[in-house]
């Protein structure tokens, strides 16, 4: 009944019923007439002008929804790949202007591009998991061309390029991220990773600290502390690592590094509680047992040092 009524609407509407195909296609989809709905959407898109416009993009999105509901991933990919170029042309032809409402159809055009880029990122992640980093890099690059407003794409590209040992290319991508998204933590994390690859640890620390200032994440704090240890600044390393030492979620390796930073400063008493925590959580970590034994020895707690030394020798029979 709805399909028949929409047909009559098309005949009577003074504007020519331009939304007829979308309305009747939706009714067909609800009625389970999926092939008929596909044909209606296709017919409607063909009837639109070459630039498609608002109604044409709505038809594409409606068709895309149908294929998503049916779980036909290839059909979704083919559909979005076909209509991404017209959507991008429309976005570029009708940019938003301050103080003016956006052009009709701009939201729909962006929706098509957004969906396409989302699929490309999912595919790139799968390529990464499969060890196909070169293909993943290609997808991230192409996705960024479509959606330069997304601040996660260039950092992902940097990670992939670093794994391929393409440090120069990674540096170019990081520089582009700093130009386009200087206020995002991911930009400065990517920059720091490039500096680390080039053994510019001072610059890496500065970039990580900038990222931490934007978004104070636990992993960043640990990375900064570890880098300060590499630079030999145990005091600053301890300051950055200390905050998470008492947390139950902190990795034993992080607590161990914090304890080592204290030992390097000669604070053996302070290092002992952390090392006891590490050996309890990681009883197979021979270097932690040795550090605990040495801390006891340095503080003249000789009887307490014997047990950790014996445990270390059991794990690693070192003549020393």
């Amino acid at each position: 009944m709805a399909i028949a009524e929409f047909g009559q609407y098309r005949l009577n509407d003074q504007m020519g019923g331009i939304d007829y195909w979308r309305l009747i296609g939706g009714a067909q989809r609800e009625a389970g007439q999926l092939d008929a709905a596909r044909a209606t959407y296709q017919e409607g898109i063909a009837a639109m002008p070459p630039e498609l416009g608002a109604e044409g993009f709505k038809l594409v999105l409606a068709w895309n929804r149908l294929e998503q509901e049916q779980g036909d991933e290839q059909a979704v990919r083919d559909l979005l790949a076909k209509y991404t170029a017209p959507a991008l042309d429309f976005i570029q032809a009708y940019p938003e202007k301050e103080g003016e409402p956006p052009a009709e159809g701009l939201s729909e055009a962006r929706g098509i591009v957004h969906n396409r880029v989302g699929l490309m990122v999912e595919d790139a992640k799968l390529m990464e998991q499969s060890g196909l980093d070169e293909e993943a890099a290609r997808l991230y690059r192409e996705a960024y061309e479509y959606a330069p407003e997304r601040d996660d794409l260039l950092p992902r590209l940097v990670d992939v390029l670093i794994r391929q040992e393409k440090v120069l290319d990674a540096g170019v991508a990081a520089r582009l991220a700093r130009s386009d998204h200087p206020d995002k933590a991911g930009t400065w994390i990517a920059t720091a990773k490039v500096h680390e690859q080039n053994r510019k640890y001072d610059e890496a620390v500065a970039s990580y600290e900038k990222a931490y200032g934007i978004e104070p994440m636990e992993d960043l704090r640990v990375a900064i502390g570890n880098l300060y240890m590499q630079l030999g600044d145990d005091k600053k390393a301890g300051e950055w690592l200390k905050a998470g030492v008492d947390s139950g979620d902190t990795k034993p390796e992080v607590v161990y590094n914090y304890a080592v930073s204290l030992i390097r400063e000669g604070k053996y008493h302070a290092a002992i509680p952390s090392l006891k925590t590490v050996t309890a959580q990681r009883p197979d970590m021979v270097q932690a047992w040795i550090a605990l034994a040495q801390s006891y020895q340095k503080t003249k707690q000789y009887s307490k040092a014997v047990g950790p030394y014996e445990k270390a020798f059991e794990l690693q029979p070192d003549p020393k």
Side-chain angles (χ1 to χ4, degrees), residues 252 255-256 272-293 296 308 311-312 315:
V255 181
Y256 171 75
I272 289 172
S274 294
L275 290 169
K276 289 173 70 176
T277 299
V278 176
T279 53
Q281 293 178 342
R282 283 284 308 277
D284 60 331
M285 194 173 180
V286 63
Q287 62 267 41
W289 287 109
I290 293 173
L292 179 59
Y296 278 134
K311 184 65 177 177
L315 291 169

Side-chain angles (χ1 to χ4, degrees), residues 92-307:
Q92 293 167 1
Y94 299 98
E96 281 195 70
K97 296 180 181 178
E98 189 175 351
E100 297 182 13
E104 187 180 1
L106 191 59
S107 174
E108 289 77 13
R110 286 175 174 164
I112 292 171
V113 174
H114 173 79
N115 287 332
R116 174 79 189 284
V117 170
L119 283 177
M120 294 175 72
V121 171
E122 287 181 16
D123 289 344
K125 290 178 181 178
L126 288 173
M127 295 299 105
E128 287 190 75
Q129 293 171 9
S130 302
L132 302 172
D133 287 331
E134 188 171 344
E135 181 64 18
R138 183 190 66 77
L139 287 169
Y140 285 136
R141 283 194 181 97
E142 188 176 354
Y144 194 75
E145 290 177 6
Y146 292 155
E149 71 278 3
R150 282 191 56 158
D151 58 85
D152 62 320
L153 298 176
L154 289 173
R156 292 182 184 279
L157 176 59
V158 168
D159 284 343
V160 172
L161 292 172
I162 286 176
R163 282 202 299 272
Q164 296 180 80
E165 299 183 355
K166 296 181 178 180
V167 181
L168 288 177
D169 290 341
V172 172
R175 187 162 58 249
L176 182 58
R178 292 195 299 275
S179 172
D180 289 359
H181 303 287
D183 58 337
K184 299 299 181 181
T187 291
W188 296 102
I189 293 171
T191 298
K193 289 177 179 179
V194 173
H195 285 319
E196 282 191 89
Q197 291 297 310
N198 290 320
R199 302 183 184 279
K200 296 180 179 179
Y201 298 121
D202 287 317
E203 289 90 336
V205 166
S207 296
Y208 276 132
E209 288 183 340
K210 196 171 184 72
Y212 190 85
I214 296 170
E215 189 174 348
M217 294 181 283
E218 176 70 10
D219 289 347
L220 284 176
R221 189 180 54 73
V222 171
I224 294 167
N226 289 340
L227 272 175
Y228 271 124
M229 288 192 69
Q230 284 185 259
L231 290 167
D233 193 334
D234 298 313
K235 183 177 181 180
K236 284 190 175 180
E239 290 172 357
W240 280 97
L241 295 172
K242 182 179 180 180
V245 166
D246 296 328
S247 170
D249 297 332
T250 305
K251 294 180 179 179
E253 292 79 7
V254 176
V255 181
Y256 171 75
N257 283 346
Y258 170 66
V260 170
S261 71
L262 293 175
I263 289 171
R264 288 178 178 177
E265 290 187 87
K267 299 176 180 178
Y268 297 101
H269 277 105
I272 289 172
S274 294
L275 290 169
K276 289 173 70 176
T277 299
V278 176
T279 53
Q281 293 178 342
R282 283 284 308 277
D284 60 331
M285 194 173 180
V286 63
Q287 62 267 41
W289 287 109
I290 293 173
L292 179 59
Q294 291 174 340
S295 295
Y296 278 134
Q297 184 176 351
K298 289 290 185 180
T299 55
K300 299 183 179 181
Q301 300 180 66
Y302 302 117
S303 60
K304 290 184 177 181
V306 172

